[in-house]
Amino acid sequence: MSLAMVFESKPIMDAKEFESDIHSFGGVVARPLNLNSVKKAASNKKISLLALARSAAGSAPKNLTPERRAELAISLLGCPAPPPPLADFADGISALPTDERHYWIGTFYTLLLSEKVRRQQATYFTPPYLAEAILDLAVSAGFDVCQHRVLDPAAGGAAFLSNVAARARAAGIDAKAALKRLCGIEIDAGLAQVSEALVADRLGIASASKLITVSNALSLPAHASFDLVVANPPYGRVTVADLTDERWKDIAYSGHINKYAVFTELCLRYAKPGGLVALVLPSSFRAGPFYDRMRTYIRTQAQVLAIGFVPERKRVFADVQQDVSVLLLRKGTAHPREALVDFPVLTPEGSGNVARLQLSVASGDPWPLPLTNGGQAGGAKLSDYGVEARAGYFVWNRECDRLLPEHRVSAFPLIWAKNVRVGQPCRPAGKEGLKTDFVHFDGPSASIIRTSAAVMQRTTNDKQPRRLLAAVVAPDVVETWGGFVTENHTIVLTSEDAEQIELVVALLNTAAVDDRYRLVSGTAAVSVKLLRDLDLPKPDAFRGALSRHGGDAEAAAIEAYGVNTAVPGNG
């Protein structure tokens, strides 16, 4: 069957569908839809290119075999020419630099997968600027493209292998010699085929077959034979049953095993003594409470050379927003306490080092990043404001029988996460904001909040610009009902002093504090522990600055942080 015939059973996405797709990703198109104008914009705008890629993938039949998906993706290299339904997308990427074009070819392949498979495999590829920056870090740490062997155990899209191939070719290395020093592992057979084609294209050869081993890297024996192990490993929860051995115990907790953690352990095993490991990881590893074991393990196996900050998460992965960091390690002796760690910032516009700092003495302590905007440490914590934080109490889907539609003597109103609106008094208004729900109690309970309080959303989504969202509970809630409870997707802040609650809420809702929280947490969930330990300006400094700035909390927070001259992250 020819590539063109693959499309005969499925019509191309019509103009309405395509226009809707463009707008859903923030693209701008004139009405009526003009595909030529869209293609023109697509050459420079990632969002528009994503829409073109989606349109092309949407025109293909469902349930293609991996081989057919690979053929379609490889056709975008231009030989053979892509079938007509792919022509708009092919034209949109034709003028891009090779690394950008390869990135979009890999992304197109993933869009041929179902969303479920895409998320299961975490097939989101490293953009060229980030792959380039990571390899630059490796080179600065001693990686020699002319001599060293390289492995990517999660090689889909060949972002790193293709880049190394290009560097080898630029250095005058023979294509076959360069190929011998490259190795990859990929679980998706079609994607492995695409990756080989991209590397071959980089080296100017007809084929790079056998470069990629098709397998689950976690199921293969690992031999310490590579000078550089570089990867953007998949992420997502796995169970003990998913794993073939018990090495996960060194790096994770049962019930909280993430793929990227076990891949980190695997990469360290593949590296030679003295070899480098360079990883793109969700930022949760830096400070997440369940990743202290991972941080401890890394420090026993290698020296931490760099922890890179990738600030613009919207520009990192196509079709997903994820806070990510970069980790560079040298396998061998344990991380020396006195060793300085580089903290580079990696952006599409270039990279630069923010600081060189020691990690905290305690091996499992968080690895926060220094501020990138010249900001300074505040020197206080939430407790210095006389405010306590705790997780919301009520898990409604486990105790539905206690959730009541109307008030009783034994019941108290329930505040849902959706009731939290920044800048507005927080009131119990039901999950949909339509009515008040109540929770029954058999007797007295410490979970009933009877003091001045505020409520925060414990989980935010990718569309929200802030992680920290807090609102003061209206005083009449306690006055009317005698107290209230909150659901488990919230964090409750309590104090005997209502003014301190208002002061803390004003502070937590500022960009300055939100930025600092993001430096120590890369997850959508707000950690109570990290919140308690979060660096805040001293209460008197913030209160005074707030008065001087006429109630402008944003300006006050910036000024109050500047009072202290310490640098956050310096352990």
Side-chain angles (χ1 to χ4, degrees), residues 52 56 75-78 82-83 85-95 101:
L52 284 171
S75 75
L76 293 167
L77 288 171
L86 271 60
D88 290 327
F89 178 53
D91 186 45
I93 65 173
S94 62
R101 188 157 47 89

Side-chain angles (χ1 to χ4, degrees), residues 145-431:
V145 71
C146 297
Q147 298 184 39
H148 288 161
R149 297 187 69 216
V150 181
L151 168 70
D152 183 346
F160 298 112
L161 296 181
S162 175
N163 191 301
V164 173
R167 290 173 184 236
R169 188 177 184 186
I173 304 299
D174 176 75
K176 289 185 178 179
L179 202 56
K180 285 182 180 179
R181 288 193 282 271
L182 301 179
C183 185
I185 305 170
E186 171 55 44
I187 197 169
D188 185 293
L191 197 48
Q193 189 178 340
V194 171
S195 299
E196 290 177 340
L198 298 180
V199 172
D201 186 54
R202 280 282 205 175
L203 291 172
I205 58 179
S207 171
S209 61
K210 299 183 180 179
L211 167 68
I212 309 293
T213 299
V214 180
S215 184
N216 178 355
L218 296 174
S219 68
L220 299 176
H223 304 289
S225 56
F226 293 92
D227 301 282
L228 172 64
V229 182
V230 58
N232 176 1
Y235 58 89
R237 291 283 181 89
V238 292
T239 66
V240 173
D242 297 321
L243 304 173
T244 58
D245 56 46
E246 294 189 343
R247 287 189 174 93
W248 63 267
K249 291 182 177 179
D250 293 330
I251 205 162
Y253 294 96
S254 177
H256 298 278
I257 309 172
N258 200 299
K259 280 183 184 178
Y260 78 75
V262 289
F263 258 88
T264 299
E265 186 275 334
L266 175 70
C267 290
L268 281 164
R269 278 190 284 134
Y270 267 117
K272 290 179 177 179
L276 298 171
V277 175
L279 303 171
V280 181
L281 300 172
S283 294
S284 51
F285 87 90
R286 296 193 324 251
F290 291 114
Y291 295 95
D292 61 335
R293 186 171 289 180
M294 176 178 173
R295 295 188 293 273
T296 298
Y297 179 80
I298 288 171
R299 290 181 64 159
T300 64
Q301 301 298 310
Q303 180 178 347
V304 180
L305 301 179
I307 304 173
F309 178 44
V310 186
E312 300 183 59
R313 65 191 184 122
K314 290 183 179 180
R315 297 170 67 176
V316 179
F317 301 122
D319 203 26
V320 70
Q321 294 182 7
Q322 174 69 53
D323 289 327
V324 297
S325 295
V326 170
L327 182 64
L328 180 66
L329 310 170
R330 188 185 306 282
K331 179 180 174 179
T333 58
H335 182 82
R337 286 189 176 186
E338 70 281 1
L340 294 176
V341 178
D342 286 331
F343 289 86
V345 175
L346 312 176
T347 73
E349 290 71 37
S351 303
N353 213 41
V354 172
R356 301 193 74 205
L357 306 170
Q358 292 179 2
L359 295 181
S360 173
V361 173
S363 61
D365 275 3
W367 296 350
L369 294 173
L371 296 173
T372 61
N373 58 2
Q376 297 166 328
K381 295 182 179 181
L382 202 59
S383 58
D384 293 311
Y385 285 75
V387 173
E388 296 182 357
R390 54 173 152 160
Y393 157 76
F394 187 64
V395 185
W396 70 273
N397 55 349
R398 293 182 186 174
E399 300 182 274
C400 295
D401 57 321
R402 295 179 58 197
L403 189 61
L404 306 175
E406 55 187 27
H407 180 247
R408 296 180 186 174
V409 174
S410 60
F412 293 84
L414 175 64
I415 292 180
W416 297 83
K418 288 186 176 181
N419 300 154
V420 176
R421 296 287 184 271
V422 173
Q424 300 178 23
C426 185
R427 301 177 185 277
K431 193 173 184 181

Side-chain angles (χ1 to χ4, degrees), residues 128-138 163 167 326 346-347 350-351:
Y129 86 86
L130 191 53
E132 183 81 13
I134 290 166
L135 288 173
D136 285 345
L137 288 175
N163 191 301
R167 290 173 184 236
V326 170
L346 312 176
T347 73
S351 303

Side-chain angles (χ1 to χ4, degrees), residues 538-558:
K538 293 181 178 179
D540 288 344
F542 180 60
R543 187 182 292 105
L546 198 61
S547 176
R548 284 188 294 276
H549 288 279
D552 184 341
E554 297 285 357
I558 293 171

